Amino acid sequence: MTIVDNIPAGLGDVVSDDDWYRHLGDPDPAGSAAQRTLHDLLLRATRTQVWRLRNRLPGVGATDLEDLAQQAADDALLSVMRKLDTFEGRSRFSTWVYKFGVLHAGVAVRRQAWRHREVMLSDSLPMADHDHSPSAVAEGGDLVRAVRRALESALTPHQRTIMLALLVEQVPIDVLAERLGTTRNTLYKTVHDARQRLRRALIVSGHLDPQLDRRRP
Amino acid sequence: MTGRPERGGLDRAAVERMLVDTSPYLSCDDCFARIDEYAEHRAADPSHRDELMEVHLAGCEACAEEARTLIALLS
Ligand SMILES: [Zn+2]
């Protein structure tokens, strides 16, 4: 089976019965069947996510993508089994399971994509006027200049470092968390606080309309 | 650190990413806790609104990517 053929025949019937998961962990044939169903669901999620993100891994062939999906499904299965008692039934069980597969597959792809890439950490801005490289040209305009000033004046060096790594270098948040020995939550909070400070400074300087529309996913 | 890091430019797209308003705050863990329920609602009704989730997803590319895949899996 390759990464593109997804769900095994018959799985749809099984997962429509949301009670099967109650047998997970049982030391009997029903428990084993439930475990297989769980793994099939996770594989569907990890294959889908790996396939959607495959352009992040140029040169990686179908076999290696499949291995990545299989490994992510195995890892996700352990997470699901550990967190089974936190399932509250606010979604279908299969949807709840999918999110673990999608998470583990995304982390695996991003980690692999950045495996050989160095993450540059610096709180100094990519200032075009201080840079001799002709390619390092910052776009002109009042807003960009005001943002440069606010980055320097309103943020701490740590906030600036994290914001530049995540939003300028576009290092994936889980990759950066791993390199820094911290968590996705902590980094997101740092960048949230930095964004608040930056926006406040730009609103005060008249460069940002506080009612500016939010970007929607 | 030695030498000057080669940085991406501070272009308009980067500035836009920095200026996303991520209030009200929702952590990535709390987003993960709700993302299955959110994806089911969005898959069933694309006009479904959930401000907390939308604000987080607008400011967190990794979670947004997960939400898109989850919705695709349910669609
Ligand atoms: Zn997030």
Side-chain angles (χ1 to χ4, degrees):
Chain A
M1 181 178 288
T2 70
I3 197 139
V4 278
D5 14 280
N6 272 323
I7 198 157
L11 187 57
D13 300 337
V14 181
V15 302
S16 64
D17 171 16
D18 252 3
D19 270 352
W20 62 269
Y21 78 89
R22 297 183 196 284
H23 298 287
L24 282 169
D26 289 355
D28 58 16
S32 305
Q35 185 98 353
R36 279 195 300 277
T37 302
L38 174 60
H39 194 263
D40 287 342
L41 280 174
L42 285 167
L43 206 46
R44 179 173 190 234
T46 59
R47 281 177 172 152
T48 301
Q49 181 67 321
V50 168
W51 187 250
R52 285 168 66 94
L53 302 181
R54 67 193 181 283
N55 63 351
R56 312 272 174 92
L57 301 172
V60 174
T63 309
D64 289 336
L65 292 176
E66 173 66 9
D67 286 349
L68 207 59
Q70 291 278 354
Q71 183 61 53
D74 292 348
D75 294 345
L77 190 135
L78 294 177
S79 285
V80 167
M81 293 307 288
R82 267 199 306 271
K83 301 209 167 132
L84 209 48
D85 59 0
T86 68
F87 175 62
E88 294 174 338
R90 285 185 287 120
S91 67
R92 290 189 299 277
F93 185 70
S94 53
T95 310
W96 187 78
V97 165
Y98 283 155
K99 74 176 176 177
F100 288 90
V102 169
L103 172 71
H104 280 269
V107 168
V109 169
R110 292 188 287 267
R111 182 185 290 143
Q112 176 142 340
W114 279 76
R115 199 169 39 164
H116 300 301
R117 291 183 67 177
E118 195 180 344
V119 171
M120 295 292 190
L121 289 173
S122 167
D123 71 330
S124 62
L125 298 180
M127 297 291 281
D129 41 344
H130 291 172
D131 199 316
H132 303 299
S133 142
S135 62
V137 176
E139 191 172 307
D142 245 19
L143 179 63
V144 176
R145 277 194 295 274
V147 166
R148 286 181 182 287
R149 283 195 298 275
L151 281 166
E152 296 279 15
S153 63
L155 304 193
T156 66
H158 177 67
Q159 286 175 329
R160 202 157 52 235
T161 300
I162 299 303
M163 197 176 223
L164 291 174
L166 291 178
L167 304 182
V168 177
E169 301 300 314
Q170 294 186 269
V171 183
I173 193 166
D174 37 11
V175 170
L176 189 61
E178 206 169 83
R179 303 270 174 111
L180 296 179
T182 181
T183 64
R184 186 157 152 172
N185 259 356
T186 303
L187 292 182
Y188 181 77
K189 181 65 165 69
T190 301
V191 88
H192 167 80
D193 292 343
R195 277 169 160 151
Q196 295 298 103
R197 284 191 182 199
L198 200 59
R199 287 179 56 85
R200 217 174 301 127
L202 291 166
I203 288 167
V204 168
S205 67
H207 290 93
L208 186 65
D209 178 349
Q211 299 307 317
L212 195 70
D213 271 348
R214 288 175 165 139
R215 290 193 309 154
R216 298 293 181 195
Chain B
M1 185 169 302
T2 56
R4 187 189 184 81
E6 290 237 354
R7 309 217 71 139
L10 188 60
D11 58 14
R12 190 160 286 272
V15 163
E16 275 181 21
R17 287 192 290 273
M18 289 178 183
L19 294 180
V20 174
D21 185 357
T22 50
S23 287
Y25 174 75
L26 184 74
S27 72
C28 288
D29 281 353
D30 289 338
C31 172
F32 185 73
R34 303 162 57 123
I35 203 166
D36 45 339
E37 200 180 349
Y38 171 77
E40 282 188 354
H41 285 301
R42 283 297 285 249
D45 172 13
S47 67
H48 170 79
R49 305 312 301 261
D50 181 334
E51 191 196 8
L52 261 181
M53 287 296 289
E54 285 168 29
V55 165
H56 184 86
L57 298 179
C60 183
E61 182 47 31
C63 288
E65 195 167 68
E66 287 159 17
R68 287 192 293 270
T69 302
L70 210 44
I71 293 166
L73 275 162
L74 300 176
S75 303

